[in-house]
Amino acid sequence: MLAKLRTFSLLGIDALPVEVEVDVSRGALPNTVLVGLPEAAVKESTYRVERAMVNSGYLRPDDRIVINLAPAELPKQAASFDLPITLGILAGSGQIVSDLFERYAVVGELALDGTTRPTRGALSIAMAAAKQKGLEGLVVPTTSAAEAAVVEGLEVIAVSSLAQAVAFFTGAIEIDPTPPRLSQWFEEYASYDVDFADVRGQEMAKRAITIAAAGNHNILMLGPPGSGKTMLAKRMPTILPQLTAGESIETTRIYSAMGLLKPGQPLLATRPYRSPHHTISDAGLVGGGSVPAPGEISLSHNGVLFLDELPEFNRRTLEVLRQPLEDGTVTISRALSSTMFPASFMLIAALNPCPCGYRNDPRRDCHCTVPQIERYMSKISGPLLDRIDIHIEVPAVPFRELAATTPGTSSAEMREAVDAARMIQRKRFTGSATRQNGQMSHRQIRSVCQLDETGMNLLRATMTELGLSARAHDKILRLARTIADLDASETITPMHISEAINYRMLDRSLWS
């Protein structure tokens, strides 16, 4: 007897429809054959399925069982096929009869006692199921139901065991769809444990970070060890606008596909912050693998990627950042296919001024030679530096500021300025794909970054003196536009241009 069920398989962060066909026929010896390009975790499902059936009170057919996962050319990964395969065997052997298999897709891993376990990529699977014609709902493990319920227009049925799934499909019980609770989750999880008020001193650095957040600009911080670079970077998400529902879903589906969601938290409500170690590989940073998986830049989507000790990273690893920084996406190509992952993130980089970290520090002696410093800095290429809008120095904090009782500028104050500037940008770019000044195209820069004669002369002199590239020219104009927005100024004044130029001074002092 033949049974057919509908399910899904993850490829990267996208879910693709799969049909599970189970044929149970008489044979001389009991035998189970699984075909359809299954990976190791799927091949092993036959053993889990057999014991889950028996331990749930059902019979393992003493017949020949052929299980086909179609389409055959699509690689099948993960253990989410356990539940549909088990239901197919029960239906194919005549132990259950249901007319709901065409209307509900099924995903879920089974334990040996028949209970269900969480499914990776439940959100992506629900999004794909909502687009499938003829599907009314999706049957998922109870622990993944809240995540899948985020998708509108789809009934999400939560089952805690094989027995409960069987009871639902046979009509023995009715299970109400899991309701979405977006507002509740945002209220519960949209808070941060850190604040810029914790950072003593560094008010100039906070000013630069406010500009970076207001216009979505990348930023590089240079300073000695212990000056507060990491503290500043960790607090950047606290001044960015709150995630919208759409941004949250975009980011959550990446974390869900990678199995990185915290237990009990079905949705990301804060902007992600990722800080990979400098020994990370190319594939770990941008994504890769025989079956492409997202890397750190995709896990930073709609959030912040912090690269500490930038020159310690492999130069080749840093160079792969160049295309994602421009495009906001990363494409992983393989012989048979290519996969595109979202990678719209804010880059924050930090480095010491020399290998020992104390160059130009009046309180410590630096023993690094000029060739050592040149080798240290040569790992950062000019093209990569061009893509970083703001370069600032973060000096060591003097004792009087560390001991001061007056709190520094807080995240709430900085976020208020950022929100006001972003509101101006939303109005400016209405009807355009551009959202912030940092994303402006060359044509938009020509339109909204007009300079007076004094500002033009200042920019011309700077370009000549520093030998800046055309990309750096556009970065200065974008930055000046953001500074003007923070001042609520319709025009870019020479003062705005001057401040923007000051944030490019590391071009001359270190890399020329």
Side-chain angles (χ1 to χ4, degrees):
M1 187 174 177
L2 178 66
K4 295 184 179 181
L5 288 90
R6 301 168 76 173
T7 186
F8 292 87
S9 177
L10 276 182
L11 185 63
I13 61 171
D14 297 316
L16 301 177
V18 172
E19 186 171 48
V20 178
E21 300 174 326
V22 182
D23 182 76
V24 181
S25 57
R26 293 193 176 276
L29 293 172
N31 186 28
T32 301
V33 180
L34 180 60
V35 296
L37 212 58
E39 300 290 343
V42 184
K43 289 179 181 178
E44 294 170 352
S45 67
T46 55
Y47 304 106
R48 290 191 298 272
V49 161
E50 178 181 333
R51 299 319 305 163
M53 276 193 296
V54 173
N55 291 330
S56 298
Y58 303 102
L59 297 177
R60 194 274 185 204
D62 293 328
D63 299 310
R64 187 170 187 270
I65 303 172
V66 178
I67 304 164
N68 179 40
L69 306 177
E73 70 275 7
L74 176 69
K76 317 300 189 306
Q77 297 187 76
S80 60
F81 295 97
D82 288 5
L83 188 54
I85 286 174
T86 309
L87 292 171
I89 293 174
L90 293 176
S93 61
Q95 297 183 61
I96 65 171
V97 178
S98 176
D99 58 356
L100 298 180
F101 288 145
E102 281 294 318
R103 293 157 50 192
Y104 289 86
V106 188
V107 293
E109 178 184 348
L110 289 176
L112 297 184
D113 62 356
T115 57
T116 57
R117 286 178 169 158
T119 297
R120 280 191 180 190
L123 179 54
S124 292
I125 290 171
M127 293 171 68
K131 299 175 183 176
Q132 291 290 308
K133 292 183 179 179
L135 269 186
E136 296 179 10
L138 178 68
V139 176
V140 299
T142 302
T143 47
S144 301
E147 179 188 331
V150 170
V151 180
E152 296 180 350
L154 183 74
E155 293 182 14
V156 176
I157 306 299
V159 294
S160 59
S161 65
L162 171 61
Q164 190 176 15
V166 169
F168 170 75
F169 277 105
T170 56
I173 61 172
E174 291 186 4
I175 301 177
D176 293 329
T178 303
R181 295 189 293 271
L182 279 176
S183 57
Q184 176 186 331
W185 294 328
F186 271 98
E187 288 179 9
E188 187 173 350
Y189 301 115
S191 61
Y192 297 93
D193 297 328
V194 293
D195 193 285
F196 270 106
D198 304 332
V199 181
R200 297 291 182 179
Q202 304 298 8
E203 292 301 318
M204 292 298 294
K206 289 183 182 181
R207 164 69 176 173
I209 283 175
T210 302
I211 295 169
N216 196 26
H217 301 288
N218 302 316
I219 183 170
L220 180 147
M221 297 183 287
L222 182 142
S227 59
K229 301 185 294 296
T230 302
M231 284 187 71
L232 290 166
K234 282 184 177 180
R235 284 153 180 77
M236 174 65 89
T238 67
I239 66 171
L240 294 172
Q242 186 178 8
L243 278 176
T244 64
E247 289 174 334
S248 177
I249 290 172
E250 282 179 3
T251 309
T252 301
R253 66 193 293 252
I254 300 172
Y255 278 72
S256 172
M258 296 296 290
L260 296 177
L261 283 179
K262 295 178 181 178
Q265 183 177 345
L267 200 68
L268 287 179
T270 57
R271 294 192 178 271
Y273 170 84
R274 304 292 296 183
S275 179
H277 192 260
H278 59 76
T279 55
I280 192 171
S281 65
D282 300 1
L285 188 62
V286 300
S290 55
V291 177
E296 288 291 336
I297 62 173
S298 294
L299 292 171
S300 306
H301 182 59
N302 290 321
V304 173
L305 175 66
F306 177 51
L307 301 182
D308 198 8
E309 303 293 347
L310 190 66
E312 298 295 340
F313 283 79
N314 184 287
R315 177 161 181 159
R316 178 182 164 185
T317 302
L318 291 178
E319 291 305 298
V320 298
L321 285 174
R322 286 159 58 174
Q323 179 254 337
L325 282 173
E326 290 289 318
D327 300 340
T329 59
V330 59
T331 302
I332 309 297
S333 298
R334 292 292 178 265
L336 299 178
S337 65
S338 63
T339 305
M340 181 180 291
F341 296 127
S344 178
F345 60 92
M346 179 183 294
L347 174 65
I348 302 180
L351 69 156
N352 298 327
C354 65
C356 77
Y358 297 106
R359 182 186 178 199
N360 297 329
D361 190 329
R363 301 174 301 175
R364 300 286 293 270
D365 292 331
C366 172
H367 301 289
C368 301
T369 63
V370 173
Q372 285 178 322
I373 296 172
E374 288 178 349
R375 281 196 303 271
Y376 180 72
M377 293 302 180
S378 66
K379 292 186 179 181
I380 307 171
S381 68
L384 177 62
L385 193 66
D386 264 354
R387 288 167 169 81
I388 301 178
D389 309 33
I390 301 176
H391 314 150
I392 60 167
E393 292 193 59
V394 183
V397 183
F399 175 78
R400 66 177 181 278
E401 293 185 10
L402 288 173
T405 56
T406 306
T409 306
S410 68
S411 292
E413 295 170 309
M414 296 168 70
R415 191 187 311 114
E416 185 178 351
V418 169
D419 288 343
R422 290 218 176 189
M423 179 65 71
I424 294 172
Q425 293 166 55
R426 277 196 294 272
K427 293 178 180 177
R428 176 183 299 130
F429 299 122
T430 300
S432 167
T434 303
R435 290 292 176 266
Q436 291 92 36
N437 291 333
Q439 303 168 340
M440 279 193 290
S441 66
H442 184 71
R443 180 178 298 178
Q444 289 171 324
I445 290 173
R446 294 288 184 189
S447 173
V448 304
C449 298
Q450 300 289 333
L451 303 180
D452 59 19
E453 185 177 354
T454 305
M456 188 66 74
N457 291 336
L458 182 58
L459 182 57
R460 182 184 300 112
T462 301
M463 292 290 294
T464 304
E465 179 185 347
L466 298 183
L468 299 180
S469 67
R471 181 182 284 114
H473 167 274
D474 286 355
K475 294 287 188 186
I476 289 174
L477 289 177
R478 292 188 184 104
L479 205 53
R481 182 65 266 174
T482 301
I483 296 169
D485 290 342
L486 284 168
D487 288 346
S489 172
E490 293 185 6
T491 59
I492 299 176
T493 67
M495 182 179 66
H496 300 143
I497 282 287
S498 179
E499 184 175 358
I501 290 171
N502 283 335
Y503 293 128
R504 301 294 305 187
M505 296 306 284
L506 293 184
D507 288 335
R508 177 177 58 188
S509 60
L510 291 177
W511 281 273
S512 61

